[in-house]
Amino acid sequence: MTTVLVSTIAELRAATGALLAEKLPGSGHPGTLGLVPTMGGLHAGHAELARAAVAENAVVVASVFVNPLQFGDPEDLARYPRTMEADLALLSAAGVDLLFAPSAAEMYPDGEPAVWIRAGVLGGLYEGASRPGHFDGVLTVVAKLLHAALPGSGLVADGTGRAPYRAYFGQKDAQQLALVRRMVADLNFPVDIVEVPTVRDPDGLALSSRNRFLSAPERDAALVLWRALRLLGRRADAHEPLDIPSAEALVRSAPGVELDYLEVVDPETLQIRAENCQDTPFTGAAVALIAAKVGPVRLIDNVNLG
Ligand code: PAF
């Protein structure tokens, strides 16, 4: 199928409304809409998000918008990959109905918005500590995209008990996912947030649009992130103490890798889990979050423990 490209909110709403009405009678999932928000530079991880959305919705919209509000560093914004043709091909192959690719003027007609969503305390931790304001920008654009894609009519509950409007986010950006979930719960957005597992290269490197900026030796060195997470995963599975310092030492031993943080946190609140992590046997559930600079590229990854 060919994904149809739309660039204005008015076109998007008209097209989703028409598609929902058209697919209503024969569809296996009458009246459900899936949104896959992205910034483009799409890879197999995004294809997995799209496939998850296509599998359980009548109509699927993906968005590609490189959101200036979430970049502190103008150079980072300028070098973010823009690969629209390839993105459209990937989305078509995954069966996505519509691609919403707005201009900055369409999303922010008055320039920087006067009112933002603030990510609060959780937004200042981990990624937020080294990228101040990043999650305010993410939540502000996600709120706008969720509203932009919400059709005026045609959404129908499908008997699963879930909202008929769903949005798909990767587990790889665990802090982003937790914050989007909090925003949706705290501000009563009528949308079900769906987590899609991280996609990895066969050697374990988590797919990211930033991986293209790694040289071959940097890419080899970057594999230490997954090795450290797996080490913690094995200890958690065996209910051993996690001994986080030894995992940190492993990361620091890799050439050109500058560890930013390695934290074991509660999966929902993302608060650091002090108990059962260092010297006592691991029990319960947690997420290990890691971030490191490998050469010029900042990478993040995570793994569920327990
Ligand atoms: O994860 C991303 O690609 C972006 O942060 C998102 C959610 C599309 C918002 O710009």
Side-chain angles (χ1 to χ4, degrees):
M1 80 177 284
T2 307
T3 303
V4 174
L5 180 65
V6 292
S7 55
T8 68
I9 295 171
E11 284 170 342
L12 174 63
R13 290 204 175 125
T16 42
L19 277 172
L20 278 169
E22 186 188 302
K23 291 201 181 180
L24 197 52
S27 163
H29 312 278
T32 56
L33 174 66
L35 173 67
V36 182
T38 83
M39 295 204 298
L42 303 186
H43 50 64
H46 296 104
E48 204 53 41
L49 294 178
R51 277 195 292 270
V54 168
E56 54 180 20
N57 293 285
V59 176
V60 174
V61 175
S63 61
V64 167
F65 178 61
V66 184
N67 172 36
L69 299 193
Q70 69 189 75
F71 289 84
D73 174 3
E75 268 179 38
D76 207 18
L77 171 63
R79 73 174 185 160
Y80 196 87
R82 276 121 174 127
T83 55
M84 190 53 85
E85 249 178 64
D87 293 351
L88 198 53
L90 179 145
L91 295 170
S92 294
V96 169
D97 297 286
L98 296 170
L99 168 57
F100 176 50
S103 63
E106 177 70 10
M107 290 299 279
Y108 303 117
D110 302 320
E112 192 176 294
V115 176
W116 293 49
I117 305 267
R118 295 287 177 217
V121 175
L122 182 50
L125 302 174
Y126 319 124
E127 282 310 282
S130 57
R131 305 176 70 186
H134 169 68
F135 287 114
D136 296 348
V138 169
L139 292 186
T140 302
V141 81
V142 170
K144 284 182 69 85
L145 291 168
L146 287 171
H147 287 130
L150 182 63
S153 63
L155 287 177
V156 182
D158 63 355
T160 58
R162 296 164 59 201
Y165 184 28
R166 290 103 191 228
Y168 295 77
F169 292 86
Q171 181 203 347
K172 164 140 184 309
D173 294 300
Q175 189 175 5
Q176 168 172 283
L177 177 68
L179 277 162
V180 169
R181 285 213 157 110
R182 279 258 53 98
M183 173 178 76
V184 161
D186 291 350
L187 304 182
N188 301 95
F189 283 40
V191 59
D192 187 47
I193 300 300
V194 184
E195 170 177 348
V196 179
T198 303
V199 177
R200 299 181 182 280
D201 279 334
D203 57 11
L205 187 69
L207 296 194
S208 161
S209 32
R210 291 173 190 270
N211 290 356
R212 69 190 73 199
F213 300 122
L214 294 167
S215 67
E218 285 163 356
R219 194 191 170 288
D220 277 350
L223 294 174
V224 79
L225 273 68
W226 181 229
R227 279 207 293 278
L229 293 176
R230 272 197 324 175
L231 177 66
L232 294 178
R234 281 197 300 273
R235 288 179 184 155
D237 288 347
H239 301 292
E240 289 169 2
L242 294 183
D243 186 10
I244 298 166
S246 68
E248 289 175 332
L250 174 67
V251 178
R252 291 203 172 95
S253 70
V257 178
E258 207 182 297
L259 179 65
D260 182 354
Y261 58 79
L262 173 55
E263 300 287 5
V264 173
V265 304
D266 179 277
E268 274 167 32
T269 63
L270 295 195
Q271 298 304 311
I272 290 175
R273 273 192 42 165
E275 83 286 9
N276 294 326
C277 288
Q278 301 300 340
D279 312 315
T280 52
F282 178 86
T283 58
V287 185
L289 304 174
I290 192 166
K293 232 174 146 195
V294 182
V297 185
R298 185 184 164 78
L299 296 176
I300 59 171
D301 200 355
N302 66 82
V303 72
N304 289 326
L305 304 178

